[in-house]
mmCIF file of all heavy atoms in Angstrom:
data_model
loop_
_atom_site.group_PDB
_atom_site.id
_atom_site.type_symbol
_atom_site.label_atom_id
_atom_site.label_comp_id
_atom_site.label_asym_id
_atom_site.label_seq_id
_atom_site.Cartn_x
_atom_site.Cartn_y
_atom_site.Cartn_z
ATOM 1 N N PRO A 604 66.163 133.487 27.954
ATOM 2 C CA PRO A 604 66.097 133.977 29.335
ATOM 3 C C PRO A 604 65.688 132.862 30.294
ATOM 4 O O PRO A 604 65.061 131.872 29.897
ATOM 5 C CB PRO A 604 65.045 135.079 29.282
ATOM 6 C CG PRO A 604 64.238 134.809 28.061
ATOM 7 C CD PRO A 604 65.130 134.090 27.099
ATOM 8 N N PRO A 605 66.021 132.993 31.585
ATOM 9 C CA PRO A 605 65.686 131.992 32.594
ATOM 10 C C PRO A 605 64.190 131.693 32.628
ATOM 11 O O PRO A 605 63.371 132.581 32.567
ATOM 12 C CB PRO A 605 66.130 132.617 33.904
ATOM 13 C CG PRO A 605 67.014 133.735 33.562
ATOM 14 C CD PRO A 605 66.669 134.173 32.186
ATOM 15 N N SER A 606 63.874 130.389 32.731
ATOM 16 C CA SER A 606 62.467 129.972 32.749
ATOM 17 C C SER A 606 62.076 129.338 34.079
ATOM 18 O O SER A 606 60.885 129.201 34.351
ATOM 19 C CB SER A 606 62.229 128.948 31.636
ATOM 20 O OG SER A 606 62.972 127.759 31.891
ATOM 21 N N GLY A 607 63.050 128.918 34.876
ATOM 22 C CA GLY A 607 62.746 128.187 36.104
ATOM 23 C C GLY A 607 62.387 126.736 35.872
ATOM 24 O O GLY A 607 62.095 126.003 36.799
ATOM 25 N N ARG A 608 62.419 126.285 34.595
ATOM 26 C CA ARG A 608 62.091 124.888 34.283
ATOM 27 C C ARG A 608 63.236 123.940 34.666
ATOM 28 O O ARG A 608 64.400 124.328 34.563
ATOM 29 C CB ARG A 608 61.863 124.713 32.786
ATOM 30 C CG ARG A 608 60.617 125.318 32.232
ATOM 31 C CD ARG A 608 60.480 125.001 30.736
ATOM 32 N NE ARG A 608 59.489 125.822 30.149
ATOM 33 C CZ ARG A 608 59.699 127.041 29.644
ATOM 34 N NH1 ARG A 608 60.894 127.564 29.632
ATOM 35 N NH2 ARG A 608 58.698 127.740 29.132
ATOM 36 N N GLU A 609 62.876 122.741 35.013
ATOM 37 C CA GLU A 609 63.906 121.683 35.174
ATOM 38 C C GLU A 609 64.253 121.203 33.790
ATOM 39 O O GLU A 609 63.384 120.922 32.964
ATOM 40 C CB GLU A 609 63.342 120.540 36.011
ATOM 41 C CG GLU A 609 64.382 119.476 36.313
ATOM 42 C CD GLU A 609 63.881 118.440 37.291
ATOM 43 O OE1 GLU A 609 62.959 118.716 38.072
ATOM 44 O OE2 GLU A 609 64.424 117.311 37.227
ATOM 45 N N VAL A 610 65.552 121.135 33.502
ATOM 46 C CA VAL A 610 66.019 120.694 32.179
ATOM 47 C C VAL A 610 67.040 119.591 32.335
ATOM 48 O O VAL A 610 67.699 119.465 33.366
ATOM 49 C CB VAL A 610 66.643 121.880 31.390
ATOM 50 C CG1 VAL A 610 65.610 122.931 31.067
ATOM 51 C CG2 VAL A 610 67.803 122.508 32.134
ATOM 52 N N HIS A 611 67.136 118.760 31.284
ATOM 53 C CA HIS A 611 68.110 117.641 31.292
ATOM 54 C C HIS A 611 68.795 117.583 29.944
ATOM 55 O O HIS A 611 68.197 117.923 28.922
ATOM 56 C CB HIS A 611 67.388 116.317 31.546
ATOM 57 C CG HIS A 611 66.760 116.253 32.897
ATOM 58 N ND1 HIS A 611 65.460 116.608 33.122
ATOM 59 C CD2 HIS A 611 67.265 115.933 34.094
ATOM 60 C CE1 HIS A 611 65.184 116.495 34.401
ATOM 61 N NE2 HIS A 611 66.278 116.071 35.019
ATOM 62 N N LEU A 612 70.022 117.158 29.963
ATOM 63 C CA LEU A 612 70.818 116.926 28.751
ATOM 64 C C LEU A 612 71.286 115.476 28.800
ATOM 65 O O LEU A 612 72.025 115.099 29.708
ATOM 66 C CB LEU A 612 72.000 117.887 28.680
ATOM 67 C CG LEU A 612 72.950 117.678 27.506
ATOM 68 C CD1 LEU A 612 72.239 117.850 26.191
ATOM 69 C CD2 LEU A 612 74.103 118.653 27.600
ATOM 70 N N SER A 613 70.802 114.688 27.842
ATOM 71 C CA SER A 613 71.258 113.298 27.796
ATOM 72 C C SER A 613 72.298 113.157 26.709
ATOM 73 O O SER A 613 72.353 113.928 25.752
ATOM 74 C CB SER A 613 70.071 112.368 27.512
ATOM 75 O OG SER A 613 69.482 112.673 26.255
ATOM 76 N N GLY A 614 73.138 112.174 26.855
ATOM 77 C CA GLY A 614 74.174 111.935 25.873
ATOM 78 C C GLY A 614 75.010 110.737 26.222
ATOM 79 O O GLY A 614 74.705 109.973 27.161
ATOM 80 N N ILE A 615 76.081 110.587 25.502
ATOM 81 C CA ILE A 615 77.014 109.466 25.723
ATOM 82 C C ILE A 615 78.432 109.951 25.498
ATOM 83 O O ILE A 615 78.673 110.794 24.652
ATOM 84 C CB ILE A 615 76.689 108.261 24.793
ATOM 85 C CG1 ILE A 615 77.525 107.038 25.164
ATOM 86 C CG2 ILE A 615 76.814 108.655 23.340
ATOM 87 C CD1 ILE A 615 77.080 105.779 24.461
ATOM 88 N N SER A 616 79.353 109.439 26.259
ATOM 89 C CA SER A 616 80.780 109.703 26.061
ATOM 90 C C SER A 616 81.502 108.370 26.003
ATOM 91 O O SER A 616 81.207 107.453 26.754
ATOM 92 C CB SER A 616 81.349 110.543 27.237
ATOM 93 O OG SER A 616 80.812 111.818 27.226
ATOM 94 N N ILE A 617 82.449 108.306 25.092
ATOM 95 C CA ILE A 617 83.248 107.081 24.900
ATOM 96 C C ILE A 617 84.729 107.478 24.901
ATOM 97 O O ILE A 617 85.117 108.424 24.238
ATOM 98 C CB ILE A 617 82.898 106.391 23.572
ATOM 99 C CG1 ILE A 617 81.407 105.997 23.548
ATOM 100 C CG2 ILE A 617 83.786 105.175 23.334
ATOM 101 C CD1 ILE A 617 80.919 105.540 22.215
ATOM 102 N N ASP A 618 85.512 106.748 25.677
ATOM 103 C CA ASP A 618 86.959 106.951 25.721
ATOM 104 C C ASP A 618 87.653 105.692 25.270
ATOM 105 O O ASP A 618 87.217 104.569 25.588
ATOM 106 C CB ASP A 618 87.417 107.320 27.124
ATOM 107 C CG ASP A 618 86.993 108.697 27.522
ATOM 108 O OD1 ASP A 618 87.751 109.626 27.211
ATOM 109 O OD2 ASP A 618 85.910 108.864 28.112
ATOM 110 N N ARG A 619 88.754 105.853 24.533
ATOM 111 C CA ARG A 619 89.606 104.711 24.191
ATOM 112 C C ARG A 619 90.822 104.827 25.122
ATOM 113 O O ARG A 619 91.493 105.843 25.191
ATOM 114 C CB ARG A 619 90.065 104.768 22.726
ATOM 115 C CG ARG A 619 90.862 103.533 22.324
ATOM 116 C CD ARG A 619 91.034 103.447 20.822
ATOM 117 N NE ARG A 619 91.937 104.447 20.314
ATOM 118 C CZ ARG A 619 93.256 104.282 20.146
ATOM 119 N NH1 ARG A 619 93.833 103.135 20.492
ATOM 120 N NH2 ARG A 619 93.982 105.263 19.643
ATOM 121 N N ILE A 620 91.024 103.749 25.863
ATOM 122 C CA ILE A 620 92.076 103.707 26.890
ATOM 123 C C ILE A 620 93.233 102.855 26.380
ATOM 124 O O ILE A 620 93.038 101.741 25.924
ATOM 125 C CB ILE A 620 91.534 103.122 28.199
ATOM 126 C CG1 ILE A 620 90.269 103.815 28.634
ATOM 127 C CG2 ILE A 620 92.609 103.140 29.287
ATOM 128 C CD1 ILE A 620 90.390 105.270 28.956
ATOM 129 N N VAL A 621 94.454 103.384 26.471
ATOM 130 C CA VAL A 621 95.663 102.654 26.125
ATOM 131 C C VAL A 621 96.653 102.855 27.274
ATOM 132 O O VAL A 621 96.937 103.989 27.649
ATOM 133 C CB VAL A 621 96.278 103.159 24.782
ATOM 134 C CG1 VAL A 621 97.595 102.482 24.527
ATOM 135 C CG2 VAL A 621 95.316 102.949 23.636
ATOM 136 N N GLY A 622 97.118 101.762 27.826
ATOM 137 C CA GLY A 622 98.098 101.852 28.901
ATOM 138 C C GLY A 622 97.583 102.623 30.098
ATOM 139 O O GLY A 622 98.330 103.316 30.765
ATOM 140 N N GLY A 623 96.290 102.490 30.362
ATOM 141 C CA GLY A 623 95.714 103.157 31.540
ATOM 142 C C GLY A 623 95.417 104.641 31.336
ATOM 143 O O GLY A 623 94.999 105.333 32.256
ATOM 144 N N GLN A 624 95.614 105.153 30.085
ATOM 145 C CA GLN A 624 95.357 106.579 29.813
ATOM 146 C C GLN A 624 94.338 106.712 28.690
ATOM 147 O O GLN A 624 94.323 105.921 27.736
ATOM 148 C CB GLN A 624 96.628 107.285 29.401
ATOM 149 C CG GLN A 624 97.657 107.371 30.499
ATOM 150 C CD GLN A 624 98.873 108.196 30.081
ATOM 151 O OE1 GLN A 624 99.026 108.527 28.923
ATOM 152 N NE2 GLN A 624 99.723 108.522 31.052
ATOM 153 N N SER A 625 93.499 107.731 28.799
ATOM 154 C CA SER A 625 92.541 108.039 27.739
ATOM 155 C C SER A 625 93.306 108.692 26.587
ATOM 156 O O SER A 625 93.934 109.718 26.742
ATOM 157 C CB SER A 625 91.463 108.996 28.249
ATOM 158 O OG SER A 625 90.617 109.384 27.199
ATOM 159 N N VAL A 626 93.271 108.050 25.408
ATOM 160 C CA VAL A 626 93.994 108.584 24.258
ATOM 161 C C VAL A 626 93.027 109.156 23.202
ATOM 162 O O VAL A 626 93.470 109.861 22.320
ATOM 163 C CB VAL A 626 94.926 107.530 23.616
ATOM 164 C CG1 VAL A 626 96.019 107.116 24.595
ATOM 165 C CG2 VAL A 626 94.140 106.323 23.136
ATOM 166 N N GLU A 627 91.740 108.828 23.307
ATOM 167 C CA GLU A 627 90.710 109.381 22.439
ATOM 168 C C GLU A 627 89.445 109.535 23.239
ATOM 169 O O GLU A 627 89.140 108.723 24.116
ATOM 170 C CB GLU A 627 90.451 108.483 21.226
ATOM 171 C CG GLU A 627 91.556 108.452 20.212
ATOM 172 C CD GLU A 627 91.175 107.616 19.012
ATOM 173 O OE1 GLU A 627 90.277 108.006 18.288
ATOM 174 O OE2 GLU A 627 91.787 106.557 18.842
ATOM 175 N N HIS A 628 88.670 110.577 22.901
ATOM 176 C CA HIS A 628 87.405 110.822 23.603
ATOM 177 C C HIS A 628 86.373 111.312 22.604
ATOM 178 O O HIS A 628 86.653 112.191 21.794
ATOM 179 C CB HIS A 628 87.621 111.868 24.691
ATOM 180 C CG HIS A 628 86.344 112.266 25.384
ATOM 181 N ND1 HIS A 628 85.775 111.496 26.378
ATOM 182 C CD2 HIS A 628 85.542 113.334 25.203
ATOM 183 C CE1 HIS A 628 84.682 112.108 26.782
ATOM 184 N NE2 HIS A 628 84.501 113.193 26.082
ATOM 185 N N TRP A 629 85.198 110.715 22.637
ATOM 186 C CA TRP A 629 84.074 111.144 21.817
ATOM 187 C C TRP A 629 82.879 111.395 22.709
ATOM 188 O O TRP A 629 82.634 110.668 23.666
ATOM 189 C CB TRP A 629 83.654 110.067 20.819
ATOM 190 C CG TRP A 629 84.722 109.617 19.857
ATOM 191 C CD1 TRP A 629 85.060 110.193 18.673
ATOM 192 C CD2 TRP A 629 85.589 108.493 20.015
ATOM 193 N NE1 TRP A 629 86.080 109.498 18.071
ATOM 194 C CE2 TRP A 629 86.418 108.438 18.869
ATOM 195 C CE3 TRP A 629 85.746 107.538 20.986
ATOM 196 C CZ2 TRP A 629 87.377 107.465 18.684
ATOM 197 C CZ3 TRP A 629 86.708 106.548 20.808
ATOM 198 C CH2 TRP A 629 87.508 106.531 19.678
ATOM 199 N N SER A 630 82.121 112.454 22.399
ATOM 200 C CA SER A 630 80.879 112.748 23.142
ATOM 201 C C SER A 630 79.799 113.149 22.162
ATOM 202 O O SER A 630 80.055 113.802 21.142
ATOM 203 C CB SER A 630 81.094 113.895 24.130
ATOM 204 O OG SER A 630 81.898 113.503 25.197
ATOM 205 N N GLU A 631 78.577 112.791 22.507
ATOM 206 C CA GLU A 631 77.402 113.148 21.707
ATOM 207 C C GLU A 631 76.296 113.480 22.687
ATOM 208 O O GLU A 631 76.028 112.730 23.614
ATOM 209 C CB GLU A 631 76.984 111.979 20.796
ATOM 210 C CG GLU A 631 75.782 112.263 19.943
ATOM 211 C CD GLU A 631 76.069 113.288 18.852
ATOM 212 O OE1 GLU A 631 77.217 113.324 18.340
ATOM 213 O OE2 GLU A 631 75.159 114.050 18.514
ATOM 214 N N GLY A 632 75.636 114.627 22.498
ATOM 215 C CA GLY A 632 74.544 115.011 23.384
ATOM 216 C C GLY A 632 73.321 115.409 22.587
ATOM 217 O O GLY A 632 73.419 115.826 21.428
ATOM 218 N N ASN A 633 72.148 115.310 23.197
ATOM 219 C CA ASN A 633 70.903 115.683 22.555
ATOM 220 C C ASN A 633 70.612 117.164 22.845
ATOM 221 O O ASN A 633 69.738 117.491 23.642
ATOM 222 C CB ASN A 633 69.768 114.782 23.026
ATOM 223 C CG ASN A 633 68.537 114.937 22.191
ATOM 224 O OD1 ASN A 633 68.356 115.924 21.466
ATOM 225 N ND2 ASN A 633 67.653 113.985 22.289
ATOM 226 N N PHE A 634 71.366 118.057 22.199
ATOM 227 C CA PHE A 634 71.232 119.477 22.462
ATOM 228 C C PHE A 634 69.920 120.045 21.925
ATOM 229 O O PHE A 634 69.404 121.028 22.444
ATOM 230 C CB PHE A 634 72.427 120.254 21.894
ATOM 231 C CG PHE A 634 73.693 119.990 22.664
ATOM 232 C CD1 PHE A 634 74.646 119.127 22.178
ATOM 233 C CD2 PHE A 634 73.908 120.619 23.882
ATOM 234 C CE1 PHE A 634 75.797 118.854 22.898
ATOM 235 C CE2 PHE A 634 75.087 120.374 24.605
ATOM 236 C CZ PHE A 634 76.019 119.499 24.108
ATOM 237 N N GLY A 635 69.370 119.467 20.876
ATOM 238 C CA GLY A 635 68.106 119.909 20.336
ATOM 239 C C GLY A 635 66.978 119.827 21.359
ATOM 240 O O GLY A 635 66.240 120.793 21.592
ATOM 241 N N ARG A 636 66.859 118.696 21.990
ATOM 242 C CA ARG A 636 65.822 118.517 22.998
ATOM 243 C C ARG A 636 66.085 119.431 24.210
ATOM 244 O O ARG A 636 65.170 120.008 24.771
ATOM 245 C CB ARG A 636 65.746 117.075 23.459
ATOM 246 C CG ARG A 636 64.700 116.885 24.576
ATOM 247 C CD ARG A 636 64.320 115.464 24.776
ATOM 248 N NE ARG A 636 63.493 115.117 23.621
ATOM 249 C CZ ARG A 636 62.892 113.959 23.497
ATOM 250 N NH1 ARG A 636 63.029 113.049 24.417
ATOM 251 N NH2 ARG A 636 62.143 113.699 22.462
ATOM 252 N N PHE A 637 67.347 119.559 24.591
ATOM 253 C CA PHE A 637 67.719 120.445 25.690
ATOM 254 C C PHE A 637 67.269 121.893 25.406
ATOM 255 O O PHE A 637 66.645 122.541 26.241
ATOM 256 C CB PHE A 637 69.247 120.376 25.891
ATOM 257 C CG PHE A 637 69.806 121.327 26.899
ATOM 258 C CD1 PHE A 637 69.609 121.119 28.265
ATOM 259 C CD2 PHE A 637 70.537 122.432 26.490
ATOM 260 C CE1 PHE A 637 70.151 121.998 29.205
ATOM 261 C CE2 PHE A 637 71.093 123.298 27.422
ATOM 262 C CZ PHE A 637 70.882 123.088 28.755
ATOM 263 N N LEU A 638 67.587 122.389 24.196
ATOM 264 C CA LEU A 638 67.211 123.745 23.842
ATOM 265 C C LEU A 638 65.699 123.893 23.741
ATOM 266 O O LEU A 638 65.148 124.920 24.130
ATOM 267 C CB LEU A 638 67.895 124.158 22.532
ATOM 268 C CG LEU A 638 69.397 124.357 22.619
ATOM 269 C CD1 LEU A 638 69.978 124.592 21.220
ATOM 270 C CD2 LEU A 638 69.768 125.457 23.558
ATOM 271 N N ASP A 639 65.016 122.868 23.196
ATOM 272 C CA ASP A 639 63.539 122.899 23.153
ATOM 273 C C ASP A 639 62.948 123.069 24.548
ATOM 274 O O ASP A 639 61.989 123.813 24.748
ATOM 275 C CB ASP A 639 62.977 121.650 22.496
ATOM 276 C CG ASP A 639 63.138 121.650 20.975
ATOM 277 O OD1 ASP A 639 63.460 122.723 20.418
ATOM 278 O OD2 ASP A 639 62.923 120.575 20.381
ATOM 279 N N THR A 640 63.530 122.342 25.512
ATOM 280 C CA THR A 640 63.013 122.453 26.902
ATOM 281 C C THR A 640 63.251 123.831 27.442
ATOM 282 O O THR A 640 62.406 124.408 28.103
ATOM 283 C CB THR A 640 63.719 121.397 27.797
ATOM 284 O OG1 THR A 640 63.495 120.092 27.241
ATOM 285 C CG2 THR A 640 63.156 121.428 29.201
ATOM 286 N N LEU A 641 64.420 124.427 27.168
ATOM 287 C CA LEU A 641 64.705 125.786 27.622
ATOM 288 C C LEU A 641 63.698 126.770 27.052
ATOM 289 O O LEU A 641 63.237 127.684 27.755
ATOM 290 C CB LEU A 641 66.104 126.235 27.213
ATOM 291 C CG LEU A 641 67.302 125.548 27.890
ATOM 292 C CD1 LEU A 641 68.597 126.128 27.336
ATOM 293 C CD2 LEU A 641 67.255 125.687 29.387
ATOM 294 N N ARG A 642 63.348 126.573 25.789
ATOM 295 C CA ARG A 642 62.418 127.496 25.118
ATOM 296 C C ARG A 642 60.955 127.229 25.482
ATOM 297 O O ARG A 642 60.085 128.003 25.142
ATOM 298 C CB ARG A 642 62.556 127.346 23.597
ATOM 299 C CG ARG A 642 63.860 127.816 23.063
ATOM 300 C CD ARG A 642 63.876 127.699 21.514
ATOM 301 N NE ARG A 642 65.177 127.940 21.014
ATOM 302 C CZ ARG A 642 65.958 127.020 20.430
ATOM 303 N NH1 ARG A 642 65.521 125.799 20.241
ATOM 304 N NH2 ARG A 642 67.156 127.346 19.971
ATOM 305 N N GLY A 643 60.675 126.072 26.128
ATOM 306 C CA GLY A 643 59.319 125.759 26.498
ATOM 307 C C GLY A 643 58.553 125.002 25.414
ATOM 308 O O GLY A 643 57.341 124.906 25.470
#
Side-chain angles (χ1 to χ4, degrees):
S606 65
R608 290 183 194 87
E609 185 173 335
V610 295
H611 296 93
L612 176 60
S613 61
I615 187 169
S616 292
I617 300 170
D618 288 273
R619 185 167 70 92
I620 309 297
V621 175
Q624 294 184 349
S625 175
V626 296
E627 289 184 67
H628 175 80
W629 301 275
S630 289
E631 180 70 33
N633 191 342
F634 290 101
R636 177 164 286 185
F637 174 74
L638 291 174
D639 284 348
T640 303
L641 290 180
R642 292 183 190 114

